[in-house]
Amino acid sequence: MNWEESLPRLLDRAVGDAGDWDDVRRRAARVVRRARRRRLVASVAGLVVAVVVVPPALGIGNWYPRLFRTSEPQSFIVRRTTGGCRILKGRHPIVTIPCFRPVLAPTRTHPLDDFSHYGRSAPGGRRVLRIAGAASPDISAVALLTAAGRLTATTTVRDGLYARTTDLPREPIEAIVGLDASGRPVACEPASAPDCPVQRSSSSLGG
Amino acid sequence: MKGSGADPAMLRALYERSLCDFRRVAAAVVGSVDDGEDVVQDAFAKALARRRQYRGESSLEAWVWQIVLNEAKSQSQRRKRRWRRLEADRAGGVRPRDDERSAVRDALAQLPERERLAVFLRYFADLDYAQIAAVLDVQTGTVGASLSSGRARLGRLLVEGDGR
């Protein structure tokens, strides 16, 4: 068999048909659309990774919702700085970002800006998992007010910030109490806590 | 032209001038005239859509040939997978293989890819060694060696086929 003669005969029909350049152009438009769609999907995926995956991986998870929600305290502290909000973990600044929260504590009328993290509600209050926040300069320490009316887990305020993750009470917590240099309760968060010792003449401090 | 992308008018001119060659080679790679036509349409569509990626490092024709061959190889893989599924479905089914064309086609299918593509580009598209070298991104000497060993292998395969 002479295969070199057989080769052209394999594909006789392919030679004669006319081309269709308009069909090529239509297909090219589809290629461009598909490429755009792929780029869009890749961009969205990249954005999701940047917002959802990377922050927790870098240990700065949960800061994003905090920009918009203030009703669910987290363990991160946001303080107003020039041009934005500074996010700190404990006492360590992580990032400064634009933020829209109109007023940030601590102020004289709102001396505790508490971002403590609470667990599930229990009868008589919520159990605290971590305490963290910012305090005005006249507050030297904070303590937890238990549902039983006891002050415990006293934590020193340093550089206007407080944070504690260990030796926290397992009992329900009613409020965070700010203490001045002499240990006298001067503020409660929330201020409306029924047993807030600020309205009382005396209280006992625990640790 | 160098570095400024491919001109659509030149692509169209190439399409109209060499369509038959592109189709012959694509059909040979894919194993079907109809699919070969489809491959060429898709390949030119990709070339048109990505014309800005053409940097002028090789001739426009060689660049388009590369796109056609890549498209044909992808299509060929898809076809093979389809065939395997079909043959698995109809257990014991046998494709007719008794004529001369089938024998040549089968022998071609058994060549290593570079040899097979070199044979296709030489005999179906009538490209010279330098053009084939540009399309396959190899040295001209390699094209000669591939064609030589491809021819020899093809001859052996067909003689063995006749002997059976």
Side-chain angles (χ1 to χ4, degrees), chain A residues 75 116-119 126-132 142-146 150 152-155 162-173 176 207:
Chain A
S75 59
S116 298
H117 186 53
Y118 292 89
R126 294 171 300 170
R127 190 186 156 202
V128 70
L129 303 176
R130 283 170 291 189
I131 60 173
V142 294
L144 296 171
L145 175 64
T146 67
R150 188 171 65 94
T152 184
T154 303
T155 305
Y162 60 87
R164 184 187 188 112
T165 57
T166 56
D167 297 322
L168 292 164
R170 300 182 66 83
E171 56 195 299
I173 296 304
I176 299 263

Side-chain angles (χ1 to χ4, degrees), chain B residues 131-162:
Chain B
Q131 287 172 311
I132 296 172
V135 173
L136 297 182
D137 199 19
V138 295
Q139 300 292 319
T140 309
T142 309
V143 173
S146 297
L147 277 173
S148 174
S149 63
R151 281 193 208 105
R153 201 188 304 266
L154 208 48
R156 274 200 309 277
L157 287 167
L158 289 169
V159 168
E160 286 169 14
D162 282 347

Side-chain angles (χ1 to χ4, degrees), chain A residues 6 13 15 17 20 23 27, chain B residues 20 34 37 41-42 100:
Chain A
S6 300
R13 196 162 73 76
V15 179
D17 296 347
D20 182 352
D23 176 54
R27 291 178 191 224
Chain B
C20 292
D34 291 331
E37 288 175 3
Q41 294 296 101
D42 278 342
E100 181 189 336

Side-chain angles (χ1 to χ4, degrees), chain A:
Chain A
M1 180 191 303
N2 184 346
W3 62 269
E4 293 193 34
E5 288 173 7
S6 300
L7 282 176
R9 292 207 304 276
L10 289 178
L11 303 160
D12 286 343
R13 196 162 73 76
V15 179
D17 296 347
D20 182 352
W21 184 250
D22 287 337
D23 176 54
V24 170
R25 289 174 53 186
R26 280 194 296 275
R27 291 178 191 224
R30 278 204 296 273
V31 170
V32 170
R33 276 199 300 274
R34 272 202 301 272
R36 276 197 198 126
R37 227 175 8 244
R38 270 199 296 271
R39 272 200 300 273
L40 184 68
V41 168
S43 303
V44 170
L47 197 64
V48 167
V49 167
V51 170
V52 176
V53 178
V54 173
L58 296 177
I60 54 172
N62 295 336
W63 61 264
Y64 182 69
R66 282 207 40 71
L67 294 179
F68 308 102
R69 287 187 319 188
T70 55
S71 59
E72 295 180 30
Q74 306 286 326
S75 59
F76 298 96
I77 299 160
V78 180
R79 301 184 81 185
R80 171 147 288 178
T81 62
T82 307
C85 288
R86 178 164 296 168
I87 297 177
L88 307 99
K89 187 172 188 182
R91 295 172 56 194
H92 306 289
I94 294 169
V95 67
T96 300
I97 52 170
C99 62
F100 313 101
R101 192 168 159 181
V103 177
L104 287 172
T107 64
R108 190 166 290 281
T109 54
H110 188 188
L112 286 175
D113 196 15
D114 186 60
F115 295 102
S116 298
H117 186 53
Y118 292 89
R120 284 179 305 174
S121 293
R126 294 171 300 170
R127 190 186 156 202
V128 70
L129 303 176
R130 283 170 291 189
I131 60 173
S136 62
D138 51 344
I139 293 181
S140 302
V142 294
L144 296 171
L145 175 64
T146 67
R150 188 171 65 94
L151 284 174
T152 184
T154 303
T155 305
T156 306
V157 175
R158 289 194 180 91
D159 301 330
L161 302 173
Y162 60 87
R164 184 187 188 112
T165 57
T166 56
D167 297 322
L168 292 164
R170 300 182 66 83
E171 56 195 299
I173 296 304
E174 191 178 313
I176 299 263
V177 178
L179 310 170
D180 65 11
S182 62
R184 189 170 60 91
V186 292
C188 286
E189 178 62 36
S192 59
D195 298 322
C196 176
V198 175
Q199 286 104 32
R200 295 187 200 160
S201 56
S202 64
S203 67
S204 59
L205 299 184

